[in-house]
Amino acid sequence: MSIEIGAIILLLLMFIIGAILPINIGIIGFVAAFIMGVLVSGLSVDEIFSAFPADLFVLLAGVTFLFAIVQKNGTIDLISRWGLLLVKGNTGLIPWVMFALGAILTSIGTSAIASASILSPIALRVAFQYKINPLMMGLMLLIGVTAGGFSPLHLFGVIVNGMMDSQNLPHSPGLLFLNTFILCVFVAIIVFILFGGLRFFRKDSAHLYTAATVETIDIHVNQVDNPEDNSGKSEGRLTWYRGFTLLGIALLVVLALGYNVHMGFAGFGVGLALFLMAPKRQEGVLQSMPWPIILMVTGIVTYVGVLEQIGVIEYMTQLIAGMNNSVMAALTASYIGGIISSFASTTGFLAAIIPLAIPILQDPTVSSIGVISSISFASSIVDISPFSTNGAMLLANAQGMNQNEFFRKLLIASACFVVIGPGLAWLIFVVIGTPWG
């Protein structure tokens, strides 16, 4: 048995053990990274450390630190009430608002990670408050993020279009964006229906709208508020401390999107400022952060980083090059993209797959834009995986559901996306084809 096959089998065993035993899979990931990297493949310990996702750790810790403070002081509850007012109490529209916000942010160039980091805490808090299935809310948000991901302004679209240009392959940035966007909308509709979203379009939405109006209409911006007072007398009001919290969130967005400041460091900075404004009120903030989830995600990603170093990812992608049937090769490439991207970097895979898929893309019997649309969609829709950065942000902000239960449900959902998504994209874009090319 080759090292590559053995490493993949070990990855599968990790999930089986984690599903059977009440143990954090991240711990298994760290141990497996050492065994497979050092004892089997001969890597140094320093190389194992280099596989640790320090960037992801700081991102998760920084953002969850900030939003632990934001949630504790009631600002997210205030935002959710305003959101309900925006949709006039119709809770059935809230998941679609999150879908639209995710799509808009990414389509104008915001990174998928930044979009998910900004919106996940708010989306899942709103889902908890208004008894919306948190898994449905999270999926709708991340599908929306994917929908805008292949805009010519977004990194995914820039990479794919740039690689197609560099290889002198026929392509259309507009059609790539249109194809992936429409399929994401279709998938979002299916998710919304399957998770019972239609039942939220109900007659009693007006009561929720009225309740939100009554709770929110009395906004005392200038009230004398002690941010260290936990009496709850200012519940539902925009106090000066919550006002500064909203400014902090806006500052986070500006720093991350306007000045490319790392979202995690920005989160720590803004969170520290809010912490110092009311230090006595922050008791329990650090304990409320999702440390088990952060450990789990970083452990698994470390193991995947070791897999990349020993050539497992390259081994899987090169399987595409040996196929003679372009249609079946496109299907294989789509599924490999779905599988790999659910654990590893979607950006990295997109940059690697196009040169390997040149024989498919140059075949005049298949549509090159159809093939690249299929691969692109398959590689990005699986970012709901709890082991991708976006999926990890959902895990870190899940409310109203046991985290282990949410993890299992998200893992099942991502497995379904991996099984169905690439095949659906291949069927629509490669086999059937779109009317516009």
PDB file of all heavy atoms in Angstrom, residues 11 14-15 25-26 29-30 33 48 50-54 56-57 60 294-308 342-345 386-389 392:
ATOM      1  N   LEU A  11      -7.217   9.102   7.435  1.00  0.00           N
ATOM      2  CA  LEU A  11      -8.144  10.226   7.554  1.00  0.00           C
ATOM      3  C   LEU A  11      -9.572   9.727   7.758  1.00  0.00           C
ATOM      4  O   LEU A  11     -10.310  10.232   8.616  1.00  0.00           O
ATOM      5  CB  LEU A  11      -8.058  11.097   6.295  1.00  0.00           C
ATOM      6  CG  LEU A  11      -8.988  12.314   6.246  1.00  0.00           C
ATOM      7  CD1 LEU A  11      -8.668  13.295   7.351  1.00  0.00           C
ATOM      8  CD2 LEU A  11      -8.896  13.001   4.884  1.00  0.00           C
ATOM      9  N   MET A  14     -10.075   8.387  11.248  1.00  0.00           N
ATOM     10  CA  MET A  14     -10.211   9.457  12.233  1.00  0.00           C
ATOM     11  C   MET A  14     -11.669   9.857  12.394  1.00  0.00           C
ATOM     12  O   MET A  14     -12.155  10.044  13.522  1.00  0.00           O
ATOM     13  CB  MET A  14      -9.376  10.660  11.807  1.00  0.00           C
ATOM     14  CG  MET A  14      -7.882  10.455  11.956  1.00  0.00           C
ATOM     15  SD  MET A  14      -6.904  11.684  11.032  1.00  0.00           S
ATOM     16  CE  MET A  14      -7.621  13.201  11.631  1.00  0.00           C
ATOM     17  N   PHE A  15     -12.377   9.972  11.291  1.00  0.00           N
ATOM     18  CA  PHE A  15     -13.788  10.362  11.365  1.00  0.00           C
ATOM     19  C   PHE A  15     -14.636   9.258  11.989  1.00  0.00           C
ATOM     20  O   PHE A  15     -15.572   9.522  12.738  1.00  0.00           O
ATOM     21  CB  PHE A  15     -14.311  10.713   9.971  1.00  0.00           C
ATOM     22  CG  PHE A  15     -13.773  12.000   9.441  1.00  0.00           C
ATOM     23  CD1 PHE A  15     -12.874  12.026   8.391  1.00  0.00           C
ATOM     24  CD2 PHE A  15     -14.154  13.199  10.001  1.00  0.00           C
ATOM     25  CE1 PHE A  15     -12.368  13.209   7.915  1.00  0.00           C
ATOM     26  CE2 PHE A  15     -13.656  14.401   9.526  1.00  0.00           C
ATOM     27  CZ  PHE A  15     -12.761  14.405   8.485  1.00  0.00           C
ATOM     28  N   ILE A  25     -11.889  15.268  17.642  1.00  0.00           N
ATOM     29  CA  ILE A  25     -11.175  14.763  16.475  1.00  0.00           C
ATOM     30  C   ILE A  25      -9.886  15.555  16.230  1.00  0.00           C
ATOM     31  O   ILE A  25      -8.938  15.038  15.643  1.00  0.00           O
ATOM     32  CB  ILE A  25     -12.075  14.816  15.220  1.00  0.00           C
ATOM     33  CG1 ILE A  25     -13.353  14.009  15.446  1.00  0.00           C
ATOM     34  CG2 ILE A  25     -11.351  14.270  14.002  1.00  0.00           C
ATOM     35  CD1 ILE A  25     -14.291  14.008  14.278  1.00  0.00           C
ATOM     36  N   GLY A  26      -9.839  16.783  16.709  1.00  0.00           N
ATOM     37  CA  GLY A  26      -8.625  17.569  16.549  1.00  0.00           C
ATOM     38  C   GLY A  26      -7.428  16.926  17.230  1.00  0.00           C
ATOM     39  O   GLY A  26      -6.305  16.969  16.715  1.00  0.00           O
ATOM     40  N   GLY A  29      -6.264  14.326  15.091  1.00  0.00           N
ATOM     41  CA  GLY A  29      -5.587  14.930  13.949  1.00  0.00           C
ATOM     42  C   GLY A  29      -4.140  15.270  14.249  1.00  0.00           C
ATOM     43  O   GLY A  29      -3.248  15.021  13.429  1.00  0.00           O
ATOM     44  N   PHE A  30      -3.876  15.835  15.428  1.00  0.00           N
ATOM     45  CA  PHE A  30      -2.503  16.172  15.794  1.00  0.00           C
ATOM     46  C   PHE A  30      -1.638  14.912  15.920  1.00  0.00           C
ATOM     47  O   PHE A  30      -0.499  14.876  15.450  1.00  0.00           O
ATOM     48  CB  PHE A  30      -2.476  16.953  17.113  1.00  0.00           C
ATOM     49  CG  PHE A  30      -2.885  18.399  16.970  1.00  0.00           C
ATOM     50  CD1 PHE A  30      -3.968  18.893  17.673  1.00  0.00           C
ATOM     51  CD2 PHE A  30      -2.189  19.260  16.143  1.00  0.00           C
ATOM     52  CE1 PHE A  30      -4.361  20.220  17.559  1.00  0.00           C
ATOM     53  CE2 PHE A  30      -2.559  20.593  16.017  1.00  0.00           C
ATOM     54  CZ  PHE A  30      -3.648  21.073  16.727  1.00  0.00           C
ATOM     55  N   ALA A  33      -1.046  13.485  12.504  1.00  0.00           N
ATOM     56  CA  ALA A  33      -0.077  14.299  11.762  1.00  0.00           C
ATOM     57  C   ALA A  33       1.350  13.906  12.137  1.00  0.00           C
ATOM     58  O   ALA A  33       2.227  13.810  11.275  1.00  0.00           O
ATOM     59  CB  ALA A  33      -0.313  15.782  12.050  1.00  0.00           C
ATOM     60  N   ILE A  48       6.104  19.583  10.619  1.00  0.00           N
ATOM     61  CA  ILE A  48       4.751  19.364  11.158  1.00  0.00           C
ATOM     62  C   ILE A  48       4.204  20.671  11.712  1.00  0.00           C
ATOM     63  O   ILE A  48       3.042  21.029  11.485  1.00  0.00           O
ATOM     64  CB  ILE A  48       4.763  18.287  12.261  1.00  0.00           C
ATOM     65  CG1 ILE A  48       5.332  16.968  11.725  1.00  0.00           C
ATOM     66  CG2 ILE A  48       3.348  18.074  12.811  1.00  0.00           C
ATOM     67  CD1 ILE A  48       4.537  16.370  10.600  1.00  0.00           C
ATOM     68  N   SER A  50       4.946  23.583  10.723  1.00  0.00           N
ATOM     69  CA  SER A  50       4.639  24.479   9.603  1.00  0.00           C
ATOM     70  C   SER A  50       3.277  24.182   9.000  1.00  0.00           C
ATOM     71  O   SER A  50       2.696  25.028   8.319  1.00  0.00           O
ATOM     72  CB  SER A  50       5.724  24.365   8.518  1.00  0.00           C
ATOM     73  OG  SER A  50       5.656  23.114   7.862  1.00  0.00           O
ATOM     74  N   ALA A  51       2.754  22.965   9.255  1.00  0.00           N
ATOM     75  CA  ALA A  51       1.430  22.609   8.746  1.00  0.00           C
ATOM     76  C   ALA A  51       0.313  23.127   9.654  1.00  0.00           C
ATOM     77  O   ALA A  51      -0.856  23.117   9.261  1.00  0.00           O
ATOM     78  CB  ALA A  51       1.314  21.090   8.603  1.00  0.00           C
ATOM     79  N   PHE A  52       0.687  23.563  10.873  1.00  0.00           N
ATOM     80  CA  PHE A  52      -0.334  24.087  11.789  1.00  0.00           C
ATOM     81  C   PHE A  52      -0.908  25.381  11.221  1.00  0.00           C
ATOM     82  O   PHE A  52      -0.156  26.289  10.854  1.00  0.00           O
ATOM     83  CB  PHE A  52       0.261  24.352  13.168  1.00  0.00           C
ATOM     84  CG  PHE A  52      -0.734  24.938  14.142  1.00  0.00           C
ATOM     85  CD1 PHE A  52      -1.653  24.130  14.782  1.00  0.00           C
ATOM     86  CD2 PHE A  52      -0.759  26.311  14.399  1.00  0.00           C
ATOM     87  CE1 PHE A  52      -2.576  24.671  15.676  1.00  0.00           C
ATOM     88  CE2 PHE A  52      -1.674  26.853  15.285  1.00  0.00           C
ATOM     89  CZ  PHE A  52      -2.586  26.028  15.931  1.00  0.00           C
ATOM     90  N   PRO A  53      -2.239  25.485  11.135  1.00  0.00           N
ATOM     91  CA  PRO A  53      -2.854  26.677  10.508  1.00  0.00           C
ATOM     92  C   PRO A  53      -2.911  27.862  11.465  1.00  0.00           C
ATOM     93  O   PRO A  53      -3.969  28.207  11.991  1.00  0.00           O
ATOM     94  CB  PRO A  53      -4.259  26.170  10.146  1.00  0.00           C
ATOM     95  CG  PRO A  53      -4.565  25.173  11.220  1.00  0.00           C
ATOM     96  CD  PRO A  53      -3.250  24.498  11.539  1.00  0.00           C
ATOM     97  N   ALA A  54      -1.774  28.494  11.688  1.00  0.00           N
ATOM     98  CA  ALA A  54      -1.725  29.634  12.612  1.00  0.00           C
ATOM     99  C   ALA A  54      -2.673  30.741  12.172  1.00  0.00           C
ATOM    100  O   ALA A  54      -3.338  31.385  12.996  1.00  0.00           O
ATOM    101  CB  ALA A  54      -0.293  30.159  12.702  1.00  0.00           C
ATOM    102  N   LEU A  56      -5.509  30.426  10.515  1.00  0.00           N
ATOM    103  CA  LEU A  56      -6.882  30.026  10.830  1.00  0.00           C
ATOM    104  C   LEU A  56      -7.134  30.115  12.332  1.00  0.00           C
ATOM    105  O   LEU A  56      -8.213  30.531  12.767  1.00  0.00           O
ATOM    106  CB  LEU A  56      -7.128  28.597  10.329  1.00  0.00           C
ATOM    107  CG  LEU A  56      -8.497  27.986  10.639  1.00  0.00           C
ATOM    108  CD1 LEU A  56      -9.614  28.827  10.035  1.00  0.00           C
ATOM    109  CD2 LEU A  56      -8.567  26.558  10.115  1.00  0.00           C
ATOM    110  N   PHE A  57      -6.151  29.725  13.149  1.00  0.00           N
ATOM    111  CA  PHE A  57      -6.318  29.793  14.601  1.00  0.00           C
ATOM    112  C   PHE A  57      -6.565  31.226  15.053  1.00  0.00           C
ATOM    113  O   PHE A  57      -7.486  31.496  15.833  1.00  0.00           O
ATOM    114  CB  PHE A  57      -5.081  29.232  15.299  1.00  0.00           C
ATOM    115  CG  PHE A  57      -5.107  29.418  16.795  1.00  0.00           C
ATOM    116  CD1 PHE A  57      -5.829  28.557  17.604  1.00  0.00           C
ATOM    117  CD2 PHE A  57      -4.423  30.476  17.388  1.00  0.00           C
ATOM    118  CE1 PHE A  57      -5.870  28.743  18.982  1.00  0.00           C
ATOM    119  CE2 PHE A  57      -4.453  30.666  18.757  1.00  0.00           C
ATOM    120  CZ  PHE A  57      -5.184  29.793  19.554  1.00  0.00           C
ATOM    121  N   LEU A  60     -10.106  32.391  13.884  1.00  0.00           N
ATOM    122  CA  LEU A  60     -11.204  31.854  14.683  1.00  0.00           C
ATOM    123  C   LEU A  60     -11.207  32.460  16.087  1.00  0.00           C
ATOM    124  O   LEU A  60     -12.258  32.877  16.596  1.00  0.00           O
ATOM    125  CB  LEU A  60     -11.094  30.336  14.772  1.00  0.00           C
ATOM    126  CG  LEU A  60     -11.385  29.543  13.495  1.00  0.00           C
ATOM    127  CD1 LEU A  60     -11.088  28.067  13.712  1.00  0.00           C
ATOM    128  CD2 LEU A  60     -12.829  29.738  13.056  1.00  0.00           C
ATOM    129  N   ILE A 294     -12.289  25.101  17.997  1.00  0.00           N
ATOM    130  CA  ILE A 294     -11.026  25.616  17.462  1.00  0.00           C
ATOM    131  C   ILE A 294      -9.960  24.523  17.468  1.00  0.00           C
ATOM    132  O   ILE A 294      -9.202  24.367  16.509  1.00  0.00           O
ATOM    133  CB  ILE A 294     -10.571  26.848  18.282  1.00  0.00           C
ATOM    134  CG1 ILE A 294     -11.563  28.010  18.073  1.00  0.00           C
ATOM    135  CG2 ILE A 294      -9.168  27.283  17.879  1.00  0.00           C
ATOM    136  CD1 ILE A 294     -11.294  29.223  18.954  1.00  0.00           C
ATOM    137  N   LEU A 295      -9.915  23.729  18.550  1.00  0.00           N
ATOM    138  CA  LEU A 295      -8.965  22.621  18.629  1.00  0.00           C
ATOM    139  C   LEU A 295      -9.250  21.576  17.556  1.00  0.00           C
ATOM    140  O   LEU A 295      -8.324  21.087  16.889  1.00  0.00           O
ATOM    141  CB  LEU A 295      -9.045  21.976  20.017  1.00  0.00           C
ATOM    142  CG  LEU A 295      -8.216  20.708  20.235  1.00  0.00           C
ATOM    143  CD1 LEU A 295      -6.732  21.010  20.101  1.00  0.00           C
ATOM    144  CD2 LEU A 295      -8.514  20.111  21.606  1.00  0.00           C
ATOM    145  N   MET A 296     -10.512  21.265  17.360  1.00  0.00           N
ATOM    146  CA  MET A 296     -10.883  20.251  16.382  1.00  0.00           C
ATOM    147  C   MET A 296     -10.499  20.676  14.968  1.00  0.00           C
ATOM    148  O   MET A 296      -9.873  19.918  14.218  1.00  0.00           O
ATOM    149  CB  MET A 296     -12.387  19.978  16.438  1.00  0.00           C
ATOM    150  CG  MET A 296     -12.877  18.962  15.417  1.00  0.00           C
ATOM    151  SD  MET A 296     -14.655  18.737  15.503  1.00  0.00           S
ATOM    152  CE  MET A 296     -15.249  20.351  15.039  1.00  0.00           C
ATOM    153  N   VAL A 297     -10.834  21.902  14.610  1.00  0.00           N
ATOM    154  CA  VAL A 297     -10.572  22.375  13.253  1.00  0.00           C
ATOM    155  C   VAL A 297      -9.072  22.468  12.990  1.00  0.00           C
ATOM    156  O   VAL A 297      -8.570  22.004  11.956  1.00  0.00           O
ATOM    157  CB  VAL A 297     -11.255  23.736  13.010  1.00  0.00           C
ATOM    158  CG1 VAL A 297     -10.833  24.315  11.669  1.00  0.00           C
ATOM    159  CG2 VAL A 297     -12.765  23.581  13.067  1.00  0.00           C
ATOM    160  N   THR A 298      -8.330  23.044  13.924  1.00  0.00           N
ATOM    161  CA  THR A 298      -6.894  23.209  13.702  1.00  0.00           C
ATOM    162  C   THR A 298      -6.173  21.867  13.674  1.00  0.00           C
ATOM    163  O   THR A 298      -5.198  21.691  12.932  1.00  0.00           O
ATOM    164  CB  THR A 298      -6.273  24.116  14.776  1.00  0.00           C
ATOM    165  OG1 THR A 298      -6.626  23.636  16.085  1.00  0.00           O
ATOM    166  CG2 THR A 298      -6.762  25.542  14.620  1.00  0.00           C
ATOM    167  N   GLY A 299      -6.656  20.900  14.461  1.00  0.00           N
ATOM    168  CA  GLY A 299      -6.035  19.578  14.444  1.00  0.00           C
ATOM    169  C   GLY A 299      -6.212  18.874  13.112  1.00  0.00           C
ATOM    170  O   GLY A 299      -5.246  18.319  12.551  1.00  0.00           O
ATOM    171  N   ILE A 300      -7.422  18.926  12.590  1.00  0.00           N
ATOM    172  CA  ILE A 300      -7.693  18.281  11.300  1.00  0.00           C
ATOM    173  C   ILE A 300      -6.947  18.994  10.173  1.00  0.00           C
ATOM    174  O   ILE A 300      -6.351  18.358   9.289  1.00  0.00           O
ATOM    175  CB  ILE A 300      -9.205  18.267  11.009  1.00  0.00           C
ATOM    176  CG1 ILE A 300      -9.922  17.322  11.968  1.00  0.00           C
ATOM    177  CG2 ILE A 300      -9.479  17.835   9.573  1.00  0.00           C
ATOM    178  CD1 ILE A 300      -9.532  15.867  11.819  1.00  0.00           C
ATOM    179  N   VAL A 301      -6.956  20.313  10.195  1.00  0.00           N
ATOM    180  CA  VAL A 301      -6.281  21.067   9.133  1.00  0.00           C
ATOM    181  C   VAL A 301      -4.772  20.829   9.187  1.00  0.00           C
ATOM    182  O   VAL A 301      -4.098  20.798   8.148  1.00  0.00           O
ATOM    183  CB  VAL A 301      -6.616  22.569   9.237  1.00  0.00           C
ATOM    184  CG1 VAL A 301      -5.803  23.378   8.236  1.00  0.00           C
ATOM    185  CG2 VAL A 301      -8.108  22.787   8.984  1.00  0.00           C
ATOM    186  N   THR A 302      -4.216  20.647  10.390  1.00  0.00           N
ATOM    187  CA  THR A 302      -2.797  20.316  10.506  1.00  0.00           C
ATOM    188  C   THR A 302      -2.505  18.990   9.809  1.00  0.00           C
ATOM    189  O   THR A 302      -1.515  18.850   9.081  1.00  0.00           O
ATOM    190  CB  THR A 302      -2.373  20.233  11.983  1.00  0.00           C
ATOM    191  OG1 THR A 302      -2.567  21.507  12.603  1.00  0.00           O
ATOM    192  CG2 THR A 302      -0.909  19.835  12.115  1.00  0.00           C
ATOM    193  N   TYR A 303      -3.379  18.004  10.017  1.00  0.00           N
ATOM    194  CA  TYR A 303      -3.180  16.708   9.362  1.00  0.00           C
ATOM    195  C   TYR A 303      -3.277  16.845   7.843  1.00  0.00           C
ATOM    196  O   TYR A 303      -2.480  16.264   7.098  1.00  0.00           O
ATOM    197  CB  TYR A 303      -4.198  15.689   9.863  1.00  0.00           C
ATOM    198  CG  TYR A 303      -4.049  14.334   9.222  1.00  0.00           C
ATOM    199  CD1 TYR A 303      -2.961  13.521   9.528  1.00  0.00           C
ATOM    200  CD2 TYR A 303      -4.986  13.863   8.294  1.00  0.00           C
ATOM    201  CE1 TYR A 303      -2.806  12.280   8.934  1.00  0.00           C
ATOM    202  CE2 TYR A 303      -4.826  12.625   7.695  1.00  0.00           C
ATOM    203  CZ  TYR A 303      -3.743  11.834   8.031  1.00  0.00           C
ATOM    204  OH  TYR A 303      -3.585  10.602   7.428  1.00  0.00           O
ATOM    205  N   VAL A 304      -4.240  17.640   7.376  1.00  0.00           N
ATOM    206  CA  VAL A 304      -4.374  17.859   5.935  1.00  0.00           C
ATOM    207  C   VAL A 304      -3.135  18.559   5.390  1.00  0.00           C
ATOM    208  O   VAL A 304      -2.673  18.268   4.274  1.00  0.00           O
ATOM    209  CB  VAL A 304      -5.645  18.680   5.632  1.00  0.00           C
ATOM    210  CG1 VAL A 304      -5.691  19.079   4.158  1.00  0.00           C
ATOM    211  CG2 VAL A 304      -6.893  17.876   5.986  1.00  0.00           C
ATOM    212  N   GLY A 305      -2.568  19.478   6.189  1.00  0.00           N
ATOM    213  CA  GLY A 305      -1.331  20.129   5.764  1.00  0.00           C
ATOM    214  C   GLY A 305      -0.192  19.144   5.605  1.00  0.00           C
ATOM    215  O   GLY A 305       0.624  19.256   4.678  1.00  0.00           O
ATOM    216  N   VAL A 306      -0.140  18.156   6.481  1.00  0.00           N
ATOM    217  CA  VAL A 306       0.861  17.093   6.357  1.00  0.00           C
ATOM    218  C   VAL A 306       0.604  16.280   5.091  1.00  0.00           C
ATOM    219  O   VAL A 306       1.546  15.910   4.369  1.00  0.00           O
ATOM    220  CB  VAL A 306       0.858  16.189   7.607  1.00  0.00           C
ATOM    221  CG1 VAL A 306       1.724  14.944   7.386  1.00  0.00           C
ATOM    222  CG2 VAL A 306       1.352  16.967   8.815  1.00  0.00           C
ATOM    223  N   LEU A 307      -0.657  16.013   4.798  1.00  0.00           N
ATOM    224  CA  LEU A 307      -0.997  15.282   3.568  1.00  0.00           C
ATOM    225  C   LEU A 307      -0.492  16.032   2.338  1.00  0.00           C
ATOM    226  O   LEU A 307       0.011  15.413   1.389  1.00  0.00           O
ATOM    227  CB  LEU A 307      -2.509  15.071   3.461  1.00  0.00           C
ATOM    228  CG  LEU A 307      -3.187  14.216   4.532  1.00  0.00           C
ATOM    229  CD1 LEU A 307      -4.640  13.940   4.138  1.00  0.00           C
ATOM    230  CD2 LEU A 307      -2.453  12.913   4.761  1.00  0.00           C
ATOM    231  N   GLU A 308      -0.632  17.348   2.353  1.00  0.00           N
ATOM    232  CA  GLU A 308      -0.122  18.137   1.228  1.00  0.00           C
ATOM    233  C   GLU A 308       1.393  18.010   1.122  1.00  0.00           C
ATOM    234  O   GLU A 308       1.941  17.893   0.019  1.00  0.00           O
ATOM    235  CB  GLU A 308      -0.522  19.599   1.407  1.00  0.00           C
ATOM    236  CG  GLU A 308      -2.004  19.865   1.241  1.00  0.00           C
ATOM    237  CD  GLU A 308      -2.337  21.337   1.276  1.00  0.00           C
ATOM    238  OE1 GLU A 308      -2.269  21.998   0.221  1.00  0.00           O
ATOM    239  OE2 GLU A 308      -2.660  21.837   2.369  1.00  0.00           O
ATOM    240  N   SER A 342     -13.176  20.288   0.544  1.00  0.00           N
ATOM    241  CA  SER A 342     -13.896  20.191   1.806  1.00  0.00           C
ATOM    242  C   SER A 342     -12.928  20.126   2.985  1.00  0.00           C
ATOM    243  O   SER A 342     -13.323  20.319   4.134  1.00  0.00           O
ATOM    244  CB  SER A 342     -14.822  18.972   1.817  1.00  0.00           C
ATOM    245  OG  SER A 342     -14.084  17.768   1.719  1.00  0.00           O
ATOM    246  N   PHE A 343     -11.661  19.861   2.700  1.00  0.00           N
ATOM    247  CA  PHE A 343     -10.638  19.813   3.749  1.00  0.00           C
ATOM    248  C   PHE A 343      -9.552  20.867   3.545  1.00  0.00           C
ATOM    249  O   PHE A 343      -9.026  21.404   4.514  1.00  0.00           O
ATOM    250  CB  PHE A 343      -9.960  18.431   3.783  1.00  0.00           C
ATOM    251  CG  PHE A 343     -10.884  17.313   4.157  1.00  0.00           C
ATOM    252  CD1 PHE A 343     -11.487  16.529   3.194  1.00  0.00           C
ATOM    253  CD2 PHE A 343     -11.162  17.050   5.486  1.00  0.00           C
ATOM    254  CE1 PHE A 343     -12.335  15.502   3.537  1.00  0.00           C
ATOM    255  CE2 PHE A 343     -12.011  16.028   5.851  1.00  0.00           C
ATOM    256  CZ  PHE A 343     -12.608  15.246   4.874  1.00  0.00           C
ATOM    257  N   ALA A 344      -9.203  21.111   2.307  1.00  0.00           N
ATOM    258  CA  ALA A 344      -8.042  21.961   2.011  1.00  0.00           C
ATOM    259  C   ALA A 344      -8.502  23.273   1.382  1.00  0.00           C
ATOM    260  O   ALA A 344      -9.685  23.571   1.292  1.00  0.00           O
ATOM    261  CB  ALA A 344      -7.079  21.218   1.090  1.00  0.00           C
ATOM    262  N   SER A 345      -7.530  24.038   0.924  1.00  0.00           N
ATOM    263  CA  SER A 345      -7.787  25.368   0.381  1.00  0.00           C
ATOM    264  C   SER A 345      -8.464  25.300  -0.985  1.00  0.00           C
ATOM    265  O   SER A 345      -7.922  24.711  -1.924  1.00  0.00           O
ATOM    266  CB  SER A 345      -6.475  26.141   0.263  1.00  0.00           C
ATOM    267  OG  SER A 345      -6.642  27.305  -0.504  1.00  0.00           O
ATOM    268  N   PRO A 386     -17.197  21.429   7.997  1.00  0.00           N
ATOM    269  CA  PRO A 386     -16.687  21.957   9.265  1.00  0.00           C
ATOM    270  C   PRO A 386     -15.173  22.049   9.322  1.00  0.00           C
ATOM    271  O   PRO A 386     -14.613  22.631  10.247  1.00  0.00           O
ATOM    272  CB  PRO A 386     -17.211  20.950  10.303  1.00  0.00           C
ATOM    273  CG  PRO A 386     -17.489  19.701   9.536  1.00  0.00           C
ATOM    274  CD  PRO A 386     -17.909  20.153   8.170  1.00  0.00           C
ATOM    275  N   PHE A 387     -14.486  21.479   8.309  1.00  0.00           N
ATOM    276  CA  PHE A 387     -13.031  21.534   8.289  1.00  0.00           C
ATOM    277  C   PHE A 387     -12.509  22.573   7.305  1.00  0.00           C
ATOM    278  O   PHE A 387     -11.304  22.685   7.092  1.00  0.00           O
ATOM    279  CB  PHE A 387     -12.457  20.157   7.977  1.00  0.00           C
ATOM    280  CG  PHE A 387     -12.983  19.104   8.914  1.00  0.00           C
ATOM    281  CD1 PHE A 387     -13.793  18.095   8.451  1.00  0.00           C
ATOM    282  CD2 PHE A 387     -12.704  19.173  10.262  1.00  0.00           C
ATOM    283  CE1 PHE A 387     -14.305  17.153   9.316  1.00  0.00           C
ATOM    284  CE2 PHE A 387     -13.207  18.230  11.137  1.00  0.00           C
ATOM    285  CZ  PHE A 387     -14.009  17.217  10.670  1.00  0.00           C
ATOM    286  N   SER A 388     -13.418  23.308   6.689  1.00  0.00           N
ATOM    287  CA  SER A 388     -13.015  24.477   5.920  1.00  0.00           C
ATOM    288  C   SER A 388     -13.177  25.690   6.826  1.00  0.00           C
ATOM    289  O   SER A 388     -13.845  25.634   7.857  1.00  0.00           O
ATOM    290  CB  SER A 388     -13.894  24.641   4.666  1.00  0.00           C
ATOM    291  OG  SER A 388     -15.204  25.015   5.042  1.00  0.00           O
ATOM    292  N   THR A 389     -12.554  26.802   6.458  1.00  0.00           N
ATOM    293  CA  THR A 389     -12.615  27.990   7.315  1.00  0.00           C
ATOM    294  C   THR A 389     -14.048  28.483   7.482  1.00  0.00           C
ATOM    295  O   THR A 389     -14.476  28.829   8.586  1.00  0.00           O
ATOM    296  CB  THR A 389     -11.748  29.116   6.724  1.00  0.00           C
ATOM    297  OG1 THR A 389     -10.417  28.621   6.538  1.00  0.00           O
ATOM    298  CG2 THR A 389     -11.718  30.313   7.651  1.00  0.00           C
ATOM    299  N   ALA A 392     -15.995  26.187   9.670  1.00  0.00           N
ATOM    300  CA  ALA A 392     -15.500  26.334  11.044  1.00  0.00           C
ATOM    301  C   ALA A 392     -16.113  27.565  11.715  1.00  0.00           C
ATOM    302  O   ALA A 392     -16.392  27.549  12.921  1.00  0.00           O
ATOM    303  CB  ALA A 392     -13.983  26.437  11.045  1.00  0.00           C
TER     304      ALA A 392
END
